[in-house]
Amino acid sequence: MKSKYILYTGAVLLGVGALASCKKSFLELQPQGQFLQSNYYANPAEALTAVVAAYDPLVTETGGIDNTYSSPLGALNAASDDCYAGGGSSSDVPAWQAINNYTLSPTIGPQNQFWAINFQGVNRTDVLLEQLPKVPGLSADLLKRYTAEGQFLRAHYYFDLVRLFKNVPLILSTLTLNNVYQQPQVPAETTYAQIEKDLLAAIDGLPVTIAPAENGRVSQGAAKALLGKVYLYEKKWSDAARLLNDVNTNYNYKLLANYVDIFSIKNKFNSESIFELVHSGTQSYTWSNWDQFKSNVYVQMVGPRSYTGPIYYSGGYGFSPVTTQLATAMKGDPRYGYTIVNIDSLTKATKTSYSPSYQNTGYFIQKYAPINANKVTTGITELNWPNDYIEIRLADTYLMEAEADLNGGGSTARAQTLLDAVRSRVGLPSVPATLQNVYNERRLELATEGHRWFDLVRWGQAPTALAFKGFKAGVNEILPIPLNETTNGSQVKQNPGYN
């Protein structure tokens, strides 16, 4: 939450082309160093660089105040009943271990990365929104679009913060180092109101479609999808159903015929992708680039350790082993083989081997697996995986709309149509459109994509579903606030149960 400085670390990689051509894109800028706010924003080119910097925290893979792996998928999957933390031992990436077994404390857990990275995003968007109107030569059209992008991004960062921590400081202007720790928390309802305000303001300023050379930038459909999701979390069912119906019917998104194609590196920005976070393997990263990685390091993390076969990269780290609960739930489902790989069975059948990781179940994530066919030839292999992460996709918004309809007394027929569409895409028969069937479908369709923990918490099912991991009702629905944010005269108070 430092102010008056905009720090650009590494090349910002948010715009790789729709195919795996590795072509340099609109948002793939070179490192810019560090600039004083007072002497930056001198022209439209610098304004664009600041827009890119505002996107940058979305794809931060390492860092935070404890300088560790920061991929949100690792922590969120470990928190859920989809995966364990795994890794080399019970002390490997302690933040993920702590959320996996609910031994979180103000000093140990992924809250350090979540808080620091999202507030870095808030700070960059605050600076951006303050300075854009002052940029000489910036056209009215660009001012409108850049402002809308800043509003979307600030809403996105605060949506993560309010879901993870509940009551957080609401900072809408740049601060000096003298007053940064004097910002009080506000009720979650106040933060949600600001998120709604930012997204509603952003929608009209965003383009309906994104040119291929600009892939990675936010569209109008993505802003409406995020707002619909926000309404869903607030239990504003009719508003959520209305916005999500608009996204699902008026923006030309389409479910892919083949489920496996959603996650292919050769099929980025496909018709199902609504908001996609871009990762590139073209930067030749080495270990000297720590805190700069914009490749997908999580791909490396989930690979089996010391695997000797031809399919997967041999140097995986063994994180996020899939729970037997998820594997059992997906047995017989057509999506199983595209979501989970049974390494025990594979190595036995092919006379290959691997080294079991901590909390090994034999089941590993397939959606983000380090497949040898996806390796790049530059830099260190484990630091240059090019797999994107689709944060919002059409099957997700279909199921959210169905959930909103069923909760809010909307059209049961519409909910049935949406649920049927998700199931029929993978050859499954219709089941009644009940809330529990929608919940079940979300788990199977979106498994290991980082949604499950949030879903269990907002449905009130986390205490039961996560009891085997030690989840404590009334405490673990939110994370502890990092210790350094509640000391040094700060007005921020620790969340209940973590004192």
Side-chain angles (χ1 to χ4, degrees):
M1 292 166 61
K2 294 180 180 178
S3 64
K4 300 300 180 185
Y5 288 87
I6 307 169
L7 184 62
Y8 302 91
T9 54
V12 180
L13 306 171
L14 294 167
V16 180
L19 299 178
S21 60
C22 299
K23 141 185 185 183
K24 182 170 284 294
S25 75
F26 187 75
L27 291 180
E28 194 172 337
L29 303 185
Q30 293 301 312
Q32 299 296 316
Q34 181 168 289
F35 298 96
L36 280 170
Q37 176 187 320
S38 59
N39 61 16
Y40 205 59
Y41 292 93
N43 54 59
E46 291 182 350
L48 175 58
T49 304
V51 171
V52 173
Y55 277 92
D56 184 55
L58 294 177
V59 289
T60 295
E61 291 287 301
T62 54
I65 61 173
D66 45 5
N67 199 33
T68 187
Y69 292 104
S70 304
S71 168
L73 279 177
L76 293 173
N77 281 335
S80 77
D81 54 352
D82 281 355
C83 301
Y84 293 106
S89 70
S90 61
S91 60
D92 202 352
V93 187
W96 294 6
Q97 306 296 338
I99 199 169
N100 170 76
N101 55 26
Y102 290 97
T103 56
L104 295 155
S105 73
T107 58
I108 300 177
Q111 67 272 3
N112 294 320
Q113 296 91 45
F114 284 128
W115 184 281
I117 291 167
N118 280 294
F119 268 116
Q120 181 187 60
V122 168
N123 177 249
R124 291 185 182 186
T125 54
D126 283 345
V127 174
L128 179 72
L129 293 170
E130 285 183 353
Q131 296 300 317
L132 281 174
K134 308 172 187 177
V135 176
L138 189 64
S139 71
D141 286 344
L142 288 179
L143 174 61
K144 183 178 181 181
R145 184 177 183 184
Y146 293 175
T147 299
E149 288 177 285
Q151 290 163 331
F152 171 91
L153 291 168
R154 183 166 66 184
H156 186 289
Y157 295 127
Y158 264 119
F159 186 45
D160 275 354
L161 286 164
V162 75
R163 289 188 295 165
L164 290 164
F165 299 103
K166 192 175 180 180
N167 300 332
V168 297
L170 183 60
I171 302 169
L172 304 177
S173 60
T174 54
L175 303 173
T176 66
L177 291 176
N178 293 328
N179 63 12
V180 69
Y181 282 105
Q182 301 307 309
Q183 306 307 307
Q185 291 152 292
V186 301
E189 295 77 14
T190 302
T191 302
Y192 271 111
Q194 181 61 44
I195 293 168
E196 290 183 24
K197 181 179 179 181
D198 273 342
L199 290 173
L200 286 167
I203 287 169
D204 287 342
L206 294 168
V208 172
T209 58
I210 302 295
E214 297 181 341
N215 277 337
R217 300 181 77 176
V218 65
S219 67
Q220 189 177 102
K224 288 184 177 181
L226 182 58
L227 181 56
K229 186 173 183 177
V230 169
Y231 286 145
L232 193 76
Y233 275 68
E234 296 181 280
K235 295 181 169 53
K236 296 182 177 180
W237 307 119
S238 59
D239 288 334
R242 172 179 53 82
L243 259 293
L244 292 165
N245 180 276
D246 187 8
V247 172
N248 293 336
T249 58
N250 295 324
Y251 283 86
N252 204 36
Y253 300 117
K254 292 181 174 61
L255 294 178
L256 296 183
N258 298 313
Y259 185 80
V260 66
D261 291 340
I262 300 168
F263 312 101
S264 171
I265 67 164
K266 296 181 180 180
N267 203 27
K268 297 186 178 190
F269 299 98
N270 57 65
S271 66
E272 190 163 337
S273 175
I274 297 175
F275 187 53
E276 184 164 339
L277 305 185
V278 183
H279 297 282
S280 172
T282 65
Q283 298 303 297
S284 301
Y285 291 128
T286 68
W287 290 109
S288 64
N289 297 111
W290 188 265
D291 279 357
Q292 298 176 13
F293 307 136
K294 302 305 171 189
S295 53
N296 194 331
V297 177
Y298 188 59
V299 170
Q300 173 66 26
M301 303 289 279
V302 304
R305 301 170 72 91
S306 304
Y307 171 74
T308 61
I311 301 174
Y312 303 102
Y313 177 59
S314 62
Y317 295 166
F319 284 89
S320 300
V322 171
T323 62
T324 54
Q325 289 94 325
L326 177 60
T328 299
M330 294 203 73
K331 287 286 176 63
D333 189 289
R335 292 163 290 201
Y336 174 92
Y338 306 127
T339 304
I340 301 169
V341 55
N342 185 335
I343 292 291
D344 281 350
S345 295
L346 176 65
T347 52
K348 182 177 180 180
T350 58
K351 295 182 172 52
T352 53
S353 64
Y354 78 105
S355 295
S357 56
Y358 176 62
Q359 298 177 314
N360 181 61
T361 62
Y363 301 107
F364 286 76
I365 292 176
Q366 177 66 21
K367 285 179 180 176
Y368 307 112
I371 299 170
N372 273 326
N374 293 341
K375 284 171 56 177
V376 299
T377 58
T378 59
I380 295 175
T381 296
E382 51 262 48
L383 303 179
N384 289 278
W385 293 101
N387 307 58
D388 282 3
Y389 169 54
I390 306 176
E391 184 180 288
I392 307 177
R393 60 184 179 89
L394 190 60
D396 180 14
T397 57
Y398 272 16
L399 293 171
M400 286 195 290
E401 184 189 340
E403 182 182 339
D405 277 329
L406 294 171
N407 271 304
S411 171
T412 303
R414 172 67 177 169
Q416 186 71 63
T417 297
L418 293 163
L419 179 59
D420 286 349
V422 173
R423 291 178 60 81
S424 65
R425 186 257 295 274
V426 294
L428 290 171
S430 177
V431 295
T434 65
L435 275 175
Q436 190 56 54
N437 281 338
V438 171
Y439 295 163
N440 292 342
E441 201 63 33
R442 280 189 67 80
R443 185 182 195 189
L444 302 177
E445 173 71 22
L446 304 171
T448 73
E449 294 180 44
H451 304 290
R452 177 67 173 171
W453 183 77
F454 285 122
D455 282 346
L456 289 173
V457 168
R458 68 187 180 86
W459 295 334
Q461 297 179 3
T464 300
L466 300 175
F468 74 104
K469 286 191 166 188
F471 186 98
K472 296 176 283 294
V475 176
N476 296 137
E477 287 85 357
I478 52 178
L479 304 185
I481 293 172
L483 180 63
N484 68 305
E485 300 296 335
T486 62
T487 55
N488 301 319
S490 172
Q491 294 191 39
V492 175
K493 305 303 179 186
Q494 186 55 259
N495 282 330
Y498 292 112
N499 290 309

